[in-house]
C-alpha cells in the first residue's frame, strides 16, 4: 500500500518570532527535500482537516483545552504565552487544529487501508504537552490524541508510541501515566518508548525498562553505534513482546549531528535504520500500520534530508 504525506499550509502560519527555531521554514525545508529527492511523485499527499475540538479531551483536561482556546489571540491582538516556551499569535490556534487534525486523519487513512503508513509534516509539535498544560514548543499532544483515537474508534488493543526526538517526550509519558492511567500492572494497551539526550530539557526524567514506559537516555557523546545498540537492547525487545497493532512515531530529528539543539551525533542513516526496524515490527504484528508525526528538527537542510530517509524507510525503498 502507498505511503502518504499529510499536512496543511496553515501549519506554517504559527509564528513565535523571526529568530525562533520552531518556525514555518522547517516545513518548507521538508517540502523542498521531498521534491529534490523525487519522493513527491512517489507518495500520496493529503491536506489535513482541523481536528474536532472534542477529540482533544482524549488526552487533555477540559481546563487546559479551554485555557488555550480562550486565550488564543484574535486578529490584531497581542501574542499570548502558554507555558515558558510557546507563544500564540493570531494564527496559532488554526495551526494547532490542523496539526492535531493531521495525526487523526493519518490514523483514519492507515486504519481504513487507504495508506500503509503516513508521515505528518505539521507543526506546532506536541510531545512535550502534558495532560493539563503545554510545555516546550507544544500546546496539545498530537500523538497521544491519535493513539487514544485509534483505540476508541477502531477498537485496537495495543498501540505503541515511539519517540526518537533528542528531547524526552515527557508530555506523552505524563498522558499515558496520568490521563490514560496506565501502570506496570495494567498497561491499558499502551507502550511508550523514548530515547533522549540526558541531561537535557526537560531534565528530570527517570530511566525505565518497565512497560508501559521505556525511557532510554543517551549520553551527549552518543553517535550512531551507541544509538543503535541502546535501541536494539531496550526498545526492540519491548516492542516485540508488546506486539503493537499500530505504531505511532514522534519523529524528532534534532539529534542530527548538524542540529545545534543537542550534542548527540546522528545522521540520516540512523533515522533510516530505526524506521526499518519499526517497519519490521509493524509488518509482523500490525499489518504494517505506522503513523509518524513531526516533532523536533531545527537545522533545515538536515531536517529535510532526515525526513526523506525516514519516508524512504516507510516506503521500503
Amino acid at each position: 500500500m502507498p505511503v502518504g504525506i499529510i499536512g496543511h499550509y496553515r501549519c506554517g502560519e504559527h509564528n513565535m518570532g523571526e529568530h525562533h527555531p520552531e518556525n514555518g521554514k522547517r516545513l518548507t525545508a521538508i517540502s523542498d527535500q521531498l521534491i529534490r529527492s523525487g519522493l513527491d511523485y512517489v507518495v500520496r499527499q493529503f491536506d489535513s482537516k482541523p481536528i474536532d475540538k472534542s477529540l482533544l479531551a482524549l488526552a487533555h483536561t477540559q481546563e487546559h483545552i479551554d485555557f488555550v482556546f480562550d486565550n488564543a489571540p484574535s486578529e490584531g491582538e497581542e501574542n499570548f504565552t502558554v507555558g515558558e516556551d510557546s507563544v500564540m499569535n493570531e494564527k496559532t490556534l488554526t495551526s494547532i487544529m490542523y496539526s492535531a487534525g493531521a495525526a487523526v486523519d493519518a490514523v483514519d487513512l492507515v486504519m481504513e487501508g487507504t495508506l500503509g503508513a503516513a508521515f505528518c509534516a505539521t507543526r506546532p509539535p506536541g510531545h512535550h504537552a502534558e495532560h493539563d498544560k503545554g510545555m516546550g514548543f507544544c500546546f496539545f499532544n498530537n500523538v497521544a490524541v491519535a493513539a487514544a483515537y485509534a483505540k476508541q474508534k477502531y477498537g485496537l488493543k495495543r498501540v505503541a508510541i515511539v519517540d526518537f526526538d533528542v528531547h524526552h517526550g515527557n508530555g506523552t509519558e505524563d498522558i499515558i501515566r496520568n490521563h490514560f492511567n496506565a501502570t506496570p500492572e495494567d498497561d491499558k494497551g499502551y507502550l511508550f518508548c523514548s530515547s533522549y539526550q540526558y541531561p537535557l530539557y526537560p531534565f528530570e526524567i527517570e530511566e525505565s525498562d518497565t512497560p508501559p514506559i521505556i525511557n532510554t537516555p543517551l549520553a551527549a557523546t552518543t553517535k550512531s553505534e551507541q544509538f543503535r545498540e541502546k535501541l536494539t537492547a531496550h526498545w526492540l525487545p519491548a516492542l516485540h513482546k508488546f506486539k503493537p497493532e499500530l505504531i505511532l512515531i514522534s519523529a524528532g530529528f534534532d539529534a542530527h549531528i548538524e542540529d545545534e539543539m543537542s550534542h548527540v551525533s546522528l545522521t540520516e542513516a540512523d533515522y533510516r535504520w530505526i524506521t526499518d526496524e519499526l517497519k519490521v515490527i509493524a509488518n509482523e504484528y500490525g499489518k504494517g500500520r505506522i503513523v509518524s508525526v513531526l516533532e523536533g528538527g531545527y537545522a533545515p537542510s538536515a531536517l529535510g534530508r532526515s525526513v526523506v530517509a525516514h519516508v524512504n524507510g516507510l516506503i521500503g525503498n
Side-chain angles (χ1 to χ4, degrees):
M1 278 188 287
V3 168
I5 305 288
I6 304 170
H8 200 280
Y9 79 93
R10 300 299 300 270
C11 291
E13 295 180 341
H14 164 52
N15 182 3
M16 293 195 286
E18 182 180 356
H19 301 293
H20 199 288
E22 206 294 280
N23 58 61
K25 294 177 183 178
R26 302 173 65 226
L27 300 183
T28 303
I30 291 171
S31 178
D32 288 349
Q33 289 287 355
L34 289 170
I35 292 169
R36 186 172 289 112
S37 70
L39 280 177
D40 61 317
Y41 290 106
V42 178
V43 299
R44 294 186 62 184
Q45 302 204 36
F46 296 84
D47 282 339
S48 66
K49 301 183 295 294
I51 194 169
D52 182 330
K53 180 182 175 182
S54 66
L55 294 177
L56 296 172
L58 292 172
H60 295 284
T61 63
Q62 193 60 49
E63 289 79 7
H64 174 55
I65 297 166
D66 291 341
F67 174 78
V68 173
F69 275 78
D70 292 347
N71 289 288
S74 299
E75 186 174 355
E77 292 184 342
E78 293 185 0
N79 291 351
F80 182 80
T81 301
V82 177
E84 297 179 353
D85 303 295
S86 297
V87 176
M88 301 181 75
N89 71 351
E90 61 192 33
K91 297 183 178 180
T92 296
L93 185 60
T94 299
S95 298
I96 288 170
M97 298 294 278
Y98 278 101
S99 186
V104 169
D105 289 347
V107 168
D108 286 335
L109 289 164
V110 169
M111 291 303 303
E112 292 169 5
T114 302
L115 298 174
F119 175 71
C120 299
T122 54
R123 57 180 291 277
H127 74 149
H128 291 310
E130 298 189 346
H131 76 289
D132 58 355
K133 64 183 177 182
M135 285 183 62
F137 306 150
C138 308
F139 301 92
F140 296 118
N141 196 306
N142 303 321
V143 292
V145 171
Y149 174 79
K151 286 175 65 66
Q152 180 191 72
K153 182 169 182 179
Y154 297 99
L156 298 182
K157 292 183 171 58
R158 297 178 305 281
V159 175
I161 304 173
V162 300
D163 186 334
F164 51 71
D165 190 281
V166 82
H167 303 94
H168 179 257
N170 62 289
T172 310
E173 176 176 341
D174 166 74
I175 289 167
I176 288 174
R177 288 187 185 276
N178 299 317
H179 201 74
F180 301 160
N181 298 314
T183 67
E185 292 72 33
D186 181 4
D187 59 27
K188 306 291 186 184
Y190 294 100
L191 178 69
F192 176 56
C193 301
S194 181
S195 61
Y196 50 94
Q197 181 179 320
Y198 186 81
L200 192 66
Y201 182 88
F203 301 111
E204 295 181 8
I205 305 300
E206 292 187 9
E207 182 175 0
S208 172
D209 269 330
T210 304
I213 306 298
I214 308 296
N215 281 337
T216 306
L218 306 173
T221 55
T222 296
K223 296 180 173 60
S224 296
E225 182 178 359
Q226 294 88 0
F227 173 75
R228 299 185 188 199
E229 286 176 351
K230 284 268 193 175
L231 269 57
T232 298
H234 298 277
W235 283 22
L236 302 187
L239 286 163
H240 277 291
K241 184 176 181 180
F242 184 68
K243 300 178 174 59
E245 297 167 287
L246 172 68
I247 295 177
L248 291 161
I249 302 175
S250 273
F253 300 97
D254 41 3
H256 195 283
I257 190 171
E258 296 175 22
D259 200 309
E260 296 180 355
M261 274 287 181
S262 75
H263 299 94
V264 174
S265 301
L266 304 187
T267 68
E268 299 94 297
D270 298 306
Y271 296 119
R272 174 60 192 263
W273 170 80
I274 187 55
T275 307
D276 288 343
E277 294 294 328
L278 294 173
K279 189 174 175 67
V280 168
I281 292 167
N283 286 339
E284 185 167 352
Y285 307 112
K287 300 180 182 179
R289 297 181 294 220
I290 296 176
V291 169
S292 179
V293 180
L294 179 65
E295 300 286 1
Y298 306 101
S301 177
L303 170 61
R305 299 193 319 268
S306 298
V307 169
V308 166
H310 179 53
V311 172
N312 270 319
L314 295 177
I315 294 169
N317 285 343

